[in-house]
């Protein structure tokens, strides 16, 4: 198989910037979000600003669905027509959405090209970083099977922590491994969520203030910095709270000067669960491309 004829596909919940998508020639498929009976597609006909505005205004809390396999089949056919021989499809965690599991089930029936489904077991920048790595390696001529090995390495070392500012969205998320916590007991609290190795969001703590929840996450990062063999890539993520994001980046740069810091977004899809004003960190060591 021609290494340069494998497309990299990622779903929109990774929230890659337009520039990143263009620079790495990544294909984005847009996750559906529903306010009542109205369906929007993330970053296509609803952006983050509009989503969080509607989140405040609408009576009904939004819900998520998943990209249809009919849409994916059309995409695979189009890629084959464009000369691609394979498609590496990187999806947000199968513990959060059925999307990548559906792609895996559909893949054997795709005749036009070979489909390689990959469950990131992550969300947001965690998934996005895997798509970027795959695109870089394929562009450098790396064999797809070695790319998958490197993706598994990156997946194993990727950490995601989110300080949730409002528990309302979490009440609709049945995929949280909550350690027996009762959501009604969290009113007024700021839960701390962690993406565990099974790809499920797990509640690992709670604080009365968002700043205290951020401090708790930062201490987890400090442990990772002490153990890391190379400088960590850290993405500060926020749900419509850019100022807090930038302030945290400034603080982290002063405390951990060797970090590679980036800014990321909690877009509409994940925002249905985290709500507005949530913040978090995504980090991993860098995979060296030989």
């Amino acid at each position: 198989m021609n290494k340069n004829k494998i497309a990299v596909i990622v779903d929109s919940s990774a929230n890659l910037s337009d520039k990143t998508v263009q620079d790495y020639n990544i294909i984005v498929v847009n996750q559906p979000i529903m306010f009542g009976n109205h369906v929007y597609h993330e970053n296509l006909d609803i952006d983050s600003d509009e989503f969080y505005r509607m989140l405040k205004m609408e009576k009904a809390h939004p819900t998520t669905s998943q990209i249809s396999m009919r849409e994916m089949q059309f995409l695979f056919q189009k890629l084959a027509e464009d000369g691609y021989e394979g498609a590496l499809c990187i999806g947000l965690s199968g513990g959060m959405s059925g999307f990548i599991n559906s792609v895996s089930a559909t893949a054997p029936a795709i005749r036009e090209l070979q489909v390689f489904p990959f469950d990131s077991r992550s969300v947001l920048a965690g998934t996005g970083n895997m798509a970027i790595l795959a695109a870089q390696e394929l562009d450098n001529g790396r064999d797809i099977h070695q790319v998958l090995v490197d993706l598994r390495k990156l997946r194993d070392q990727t950490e995601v922590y989110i300080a949730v500012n409002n528990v309302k969205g979490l009440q609709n998320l049945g995929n949280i491994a909550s350690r027996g916590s009762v959501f009604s007991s969290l009113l007024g609290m700021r839960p701390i969520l962690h993406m565990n190795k099974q790809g499920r969001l797990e509640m690992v703590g709670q604080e009365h203030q968002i700043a205290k929840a951020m401090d708790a996450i930062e201490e987890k990062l400090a442990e990772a910095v002490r153990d890391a063999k190379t400088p960590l890539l850290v993405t500060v993520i926020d749900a419509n709270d850019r100022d807090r994001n930038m302030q945290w980046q400034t603080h982290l740069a002063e405390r951990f000067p060797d970090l590679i810091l980036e800014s990321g977004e909690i877009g509409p899809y994940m925002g249905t669960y985290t709500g507005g004003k949530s913040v978090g960190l995504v980090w991993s060591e860098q995979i060296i491309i030989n």
Side-chain angles (χ1 to χ4, degrees):
M1 181 178 294
N2 187 331
K3 302 178 184 67
N4 294 321
K5 282 299 182 180
I6 300 177
V8 176
I9 303 168
V10 71
D11 74 271
S12 59
S13 68
N15 291 116
L16 293 176
S17 69
D18 290 342
K19 184 178 187 305
T20 297
V21 169
Q22 293 170 4
D23 287 350
Y24 294 103
N25 195 30
I26 295 170
I27 297 166
V28 177
V29 287
N30 303 90
Q31 292 279 13
I33 296 134
M34 290 165 287
F35 276 96
N37 294 323
H38 195 103
V39 179
Y40 299 88
H41 288 85
E42 182 177 42
N43 301 331
L44 187 62
D45 48 24
I46 187 170
D47 62 15
S48 291
D49 289 342
E50 179 67 6
F51 171 80
Y52 288 111
R53 185 194 69 79
M54 291 179 66
L55 194 60
K56 292 180 180 178
M57 302 293 294
E58 297 288 332
K59 293 181 179 179
H61 192 82
T63 57
T64 61
S65 183
Q66 70 180 56
I67 301 160
S68 75
M69 288 306 101
R70 182 175 178 82
E71 179 181 343
M72 294 304 298
Q73 288 171 335
F74 281 135
L75 173 59
F76 295 142
Q77 182 177 355
K78 175 66 166 57
L79 289 171
E81 291 171 356
D82 290 342
Y84 285 94
E85 299 172 12
L88 172 57
C89 189
I90 302 172
L92 84 160
S93 176
M96 290 288 299
S97 165
F99 167 65
I100 199 65
N101 295 326
S102 295
V103 172
S104 297
T106 303
I110 303 299
R111 301 288 180 235
E112 294 85 0
L113 79 178
Q114 188 170 0
V115 178
F116 301 89
F118 185 82
D119 185 345
S120 72
R121 295 183 197 160
S122 191
V123 291
L124 302 167
T127 303
N129 289 340
M130 293 178 208
I132 292 170
L133 175 67
Q136 288 177 319
E137 292 202 347
L138 288 168
D139 189 54
N140 287 342
R142 205 165 183 84
D143 179 80
I144 180 61
H145 299 291
Q146 184 58 52
V147 172
L148 290 169
V149 169
D150 291 343
L151 285 176
R152 294 185 194 105
K153 290 179 183 177
L154 181 55
R155 179 172 67 187
D156 288 344
Q157 62 175 253
T158 296
E159 298 288 353
V160 179
Y161 284 88
I162 303 171
V164 175
N165 196 48
N166 190 313
V167 301
K168 183 178 180 181
L170 299 184
Q171 298 176 43
N172 297 321
L173 182 56
N175 289 330
I176 284 188
S178 61
R179 292 184 175 176
S181 296
V182 178
F183 284 115
S184 60
S185 69
L186 292 173
L187 294 178
M189 302 297 287
R190 306 297 184 264
I192 300 169
L193 303 182
H194 173 238
M195 182 63 70
N196 65 24
K197 294 307 178 185
Q198 291 71 48
R200 298 182 66 195
L201 282 174
E202 180 178 23
M203 205 174 325
V204 294
Q206 53 185 294
E207 298 288 345
H208 285 285
Q209 299 175 340
I210 195 74
K212 293 294 185 182
M214 292 166 62
D215 288 344
I217 293 173
E218 189 172 317
E219 289 313 305
K220 293 292 186 182
L221 173 63
E223 294 175 13
V225 169
R226 286 193 294 269
D227 295 338
K229 298 179 178 63
T230 60
L232 296 178
L233 171 64
V234 180
T235 306
V236 183
I237 53 176
D238 73 277
N240 199 34
D241 199 343
R242 184 71 174 176
D243 289 344
R244 193 184 295 272
N245 184 316
M246 299 307 295
Q247 290 166 10
W248 204 1
Q249 283 191 62
T250 300
H251 168 71
L252 291 174
E254 292 173 353
R255 183 178 177 186
F256 308 107
D258 291 334
L259 293 183
I260 303 166
L261 283 165
E262 296 183 345
S263 181
E265 184 178 66
I266 300 175
Y269 186 91
M270 284 300 296
T272 62
Y273 304 120
T274 68
K277 306 302 181 183
S278 297
V279 289
L281 299 178
V282 179
W283 70 78
S284 65
E285 292 187 40
Q286 295 288 281
I287 299 294
I288 305 300
I289 304 174
N290 297 318

